[in-house]
Amino acid sequence: MPAKYHIHTEPAPPRVRPVGKLGIVDWREDCAGCHNCVKRGCVYGFYRDEADTLRGETGYLDYIYQCKGCLTCVQDCTKGILTRVMNPEYERLGDVYYTPEIVLSTWFQAETGRIPVSGAGYGGPFSGRGFDAMWTDMSEIVRPTRDGIHGREYINTSVDVGRKLAHLSFAESQLGVSPPPLVESPMPVMFDVVPPRWRRGKVVSSIARAAGEIGLLSVIRERDLPPGTS
Ligand code: SF4
Ligand code: SF4
């Protein structure tokens, strides 16, 4: 059995602030100024982060839209003045194929190297009027054996690239034919040639190094090979 395949990742902080999905609209004129305001209880620190970002800004306020959509503050505000809203900039991301959700989850993966977590609103058949749009998925708890992601189960992802013999033949209990050469790839992924417009800076050498480190194939020009790779 081949060794367990693992890709080592490291966080890569974004160069620009990610586009957030959800924010909170606050109708402040009705605020009762409660001693234990629900805003302080946001476990994600949304209100503190937004206040830090907007402090000193005048005119256009660039809201961060980093609410995680748990609805705790919306439901517990004593005057009901908080409303969760969708960021209009988020809705304009991508196109009909690459939806805003796909763009944002790919962005998250690129930054953190982690598996994207989807959520913040269940859109299946049990949603809409009368439902709270929350969905709890217990699959990892009831099916712990079907888990190749966290390493509790071995799932082989390798593929053989090359021709195979239609049948085998033997002579005196020995294989009588020579099988054609095979290349084994730990994952069915191959990095294609980088288009000319992206061949700048460290793009090509980074892809070549990544392919070399995780044992995948990449198609690059010989002169772009970083030292120590082949
Ligand atoms: S809980 Fe609601 S009403 Fe009370 S201070 Fe906070 S925002 Fe204002
Ligand atoms: S809905 Fe949840 S995550 Fe969003 S601001 Fe309120 S408490 Fe924080």
Side-chain angles (χ1 to χ4, degrees):
M1 196 160 68
K4 229 179 229 179
Y5 185 60
H6 176 72
I7 297 178
H8 170 74
T9 61
E10 281 177 29
R15 281 169 294 175
V16 294
R17 197 172 80 197
V19 175
K21 180 179 181 182
L22 300 170
I24 297 287
V25 169
D26 175 353
W27 305 99
R28 284 191 193 164
E29 54 268 35
D30 286 334
C31 178
C34 313
H35 179 62
N36 288 323
C37 175
V38 290
K39 294 178 180 177
R40 289 195 210 109
C42 174
V43 292
Y44 301 102
F46 166 77
Y47 292 98
R48 190 186 53 237
D49 290 348
E50 188 157 85
D52 288 348
T53 306
L54 299 180
R55 186 168 297 123
E57 283 197 26
T58 53
Y60 176 70
L61 298 179
D62 191 11
Y63 293 103
I64 60 173
Y65 287 101
Q66 293 299 324
C67 163
K68 304 296 181 218
C70 73
L71 293 177
T72 303
C73 64
V74 174
Q75 288 178 326
D76 292 349
C77 171
T78 50
K79 299 276 278 188
I81 61 170
L82 304 177
T83 309
R84 192 186 67 176
V85 293
M86 187 80 79
N87 181 2
E89 196 182 346
Y90 166 82
E91 293 181 293
R92 288 195 296 271
L93 285 177
D95 51 32
V96 287
Y97 187 75
Y98 289 103
T99 60
E101 190 163 8
I102 293 175
V103 173
L104 215 60
S105 58
T106 308
W107 200 338
F108 174 82
Q109 274 181 304
E111 262 179 56
T112 62
R114 284 163 50 197
I115 304 156
V117 178
S118 59
Y122 163 73
F126 307 108
S127 59
R129 196 172 168 78
F131 293 96
D132 61 10
M134 289 194 176
W135 179 261
T136 309
D137 183 352
M138 299 291 180
S139 61
E140 286 207 30
I141 296 169
V142 297
R143 298 188 285 116
T145 55
R146 295 298 309 162
D147 172 19
I149 294 175
H150 302 293
R152 286 177 287 193
E153 182 187 27
Y154 180 85
I155 295 177
N156 187 2
T157 54
S158 71
V159 288
D160 293 334
V161 184
R163 287 182 299 125
K164 295 208 172 116
L165 294 170
H167 61 273
L168 301 177
S169 61
F170 295 87
E172 296 174 3
S173 305
Q174 298 294 319
L175 196 58
V177 285
S178 304
L182 282 180
V183 174
E184 188 182 322
S185 176
M187 262 202 320
V189 171
M190 189 184 291
F191 295 113
D192 202 351
V193 179
V194 179
R197 67 182 182 283
W198 300 116
R199 280 187 219 141
R200 56 172 187 251
K202 296 183 177 173
V203 173
V204 176
S205 61
S206 301
I207 291 173
R209 275 189 197 286
E213 193 177 316
I214 60 182
L216 295 182
L217 300 171
S218 66
V219 185
I220 61 172
R221 296 175 303 181
E222 196 170 356
R223 65 173 181 270
D224 291 330
L225 272 176
T229 54
S230 57

